[in-house]
DNA sequence: GTCCGGATCTTT
DNA sequence: AAGATCCGGACA
C-alpha cells in the first residue's frame, strides 16, 4: 500500500483494509491472508482506544506515522496486531481481527489473538513497517461480499464510544470472528 | 511502591 | 462460567 493510504481517517482505512492481503515472512517461509474483519481505534477522544489513556507508553506509536505495526499483549497472554493509520497530526490504529487464509497458514485466524499466533506475530514486531521484510500489506481484489458495519467487540466499558460503529467485516464470510448485524 | 482492569481464548 | 497471566496507568 502507498503511504498515503494510511494518512486518512482511521475509519476509512479500516474499511478499505477489508479485502487487502497481509503477507508475513519468517525464516520458515511465507504466509498470506485476506483481511475480512477490522476495527478502528481513534485518538485521545476515543475512550475505547489505548490512545485515550495517554500519549506515552505503549500507545505512543499510535501517534506516529501510519503504515507501521502496533503489537500489544492483552490479558497477559495474547498478542494483537494493529495497523497505525490516522489523518496527519492525529492518532489511531486499526485492529486486525480476522483473516481468510490464502497461503501457508496452518492455524485458525478468526480472532485477533489467533491471527497473531497463526502468523507468528508478537511484540518483537512492534513498530515494524507494513512495507518491510517481515510484514507487508498489498491491495487485493475488490471483495465480492458486502461490507458490514457495527459496534466494536469487548469495549462495553467505553460509554457512548462502545456503541460507535467502528467495526467493519465482510458479510457472510466464514472467517469473521464474531457474528453481528450491520447497522 | 501497590492495585486494578483489560481491543482474548481455552477449558470446564 | 472461570482461569490463565502481564502490562500500563492511576493513585499514594
Amino acid at each position: 500500500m502507498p503511504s498515503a493510504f494510511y494518512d486518512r481517517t482511521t475509519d476509512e482505512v479500516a474499511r478499505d483494509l477489508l479485502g487487502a492481503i497481509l503477507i508475513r515472512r519468517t525464516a520458515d517461509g511465507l504466509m498470506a491472508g485476506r483481511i475480512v474483519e477490522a476495527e478502528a481505534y481513534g485518538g485521545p477522544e476515543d475512550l475505547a482506544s489505548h490512545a485515550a489513556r495517554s500519549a506515552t507508553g505503549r500507545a505512543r506509536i499510535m501517534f506516529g506515522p501510519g503504515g507501521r505495526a502496533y503489537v500489544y499483549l492483552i490479558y497477559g497472554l495474547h498478542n494483537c496486531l494493529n495497523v497505525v493509520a490516522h489523518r496527519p497530526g492525529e492518532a489511531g490504529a486499526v485492529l486486525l481481527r480476522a483473516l481468510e487464509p490464502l497461503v501457508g497458514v496452518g492455524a485458525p485466524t478468526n480472532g485477533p489473538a489467533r491471527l497473531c499466533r497463526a502468523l507468528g506475530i508478537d511484540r518483537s514486531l512492534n513498530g515494524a513497517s507494513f512495507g518491510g521484510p517481515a510484514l507487508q500489506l498489498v491491495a487485493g481484489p475488490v471483495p465480492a461480499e458486502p461490507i458490514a458495519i457495527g459496534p466494536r467487540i469487548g469495549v462495553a466499558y467505553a460509554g457512548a464510544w462502545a456503541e460507535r460503529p467502528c467495526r467493519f467485516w465482510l458479510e457472510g464470510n466464514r472467517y469473521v470472528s464474531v457474528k453481528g448485524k450491520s447497522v
Side-chain angles (χ1 to χ4, degrees):
Chain A
M1 295 292 196
S3 68
F5 177 86
Y6 305 102
D7 297 338
R8 300 175 294 147
T9 68
T10 308
D11 283 5
E12 282 178 294
V13 176
R15 184 197 60 210
D16 289 351
L17 279 173
L18 296 180
I21 312 299
L22 175 66
I23 299 170
R24 165 77 172 129
R25 283 190 193 83
T26 68
D28 294 333
L30 181 146
M31 292 176 276
R34 175 176 174 251
I35 298 171
V36 298
E37 182 183 357
E39 285 178 357
Y41 286 85
E45 71 285 352
D46 179 357
L47 297 182
S49 173
H50 290 173
R53 310 287 214 124
S54 88
T56 62
R58 64 178 174 176
R60 186 178 50 221
I61 192 165
M62 294 177 69
F63 293 76
R68 297 166 66 183
Y70 169 38
V71 185
Y72 67 92
L73 191 66
I74 184 134
Y75 301 124
L77 54 165
H78 297 299
N79 291 106
C80 292
L81 174 65
N82 298 253
V83 181
V84 176
H86 51 78
R87 289 203 294 212
E90 299 183 356
V94 177
L95 172 67
L96 301 185
R97 292 192 51 93
L99 298 181
E100 176 178 330
L102 294 178
V103 178
V105 178
T109 49
N110 56 322
R114 276 193 276 253
L115 184 159
C116 284
R117 199 179 53 169
L119 297 193
I121 290 165
D122 63 23
R123 283 171 299 155
S124 68
L125 286 170
N126 193 41
S129 167
F130 280 99
L135 291 171
Q136 208 163 352
L137 273 173
V138 300
V142 175
E145 305 95 322
I147 291 176
I149 307 172
R152 293 170 290 188
I153 304 296
V155 297
Y157 61 87
W161 288 89
E163 321 281 326
R164 198 180 172 95
C166 297
R167 173 173 179 247
F168 302 83
W169 69 95
L170 294 179
E171 188 69 59
N173 187 286
R174 59 173 287 206
Y175 296 100
V176 170
S177 68
V178 178
K179 301 277 185 226
K181 58 176 192 291
S182 189
V183 294

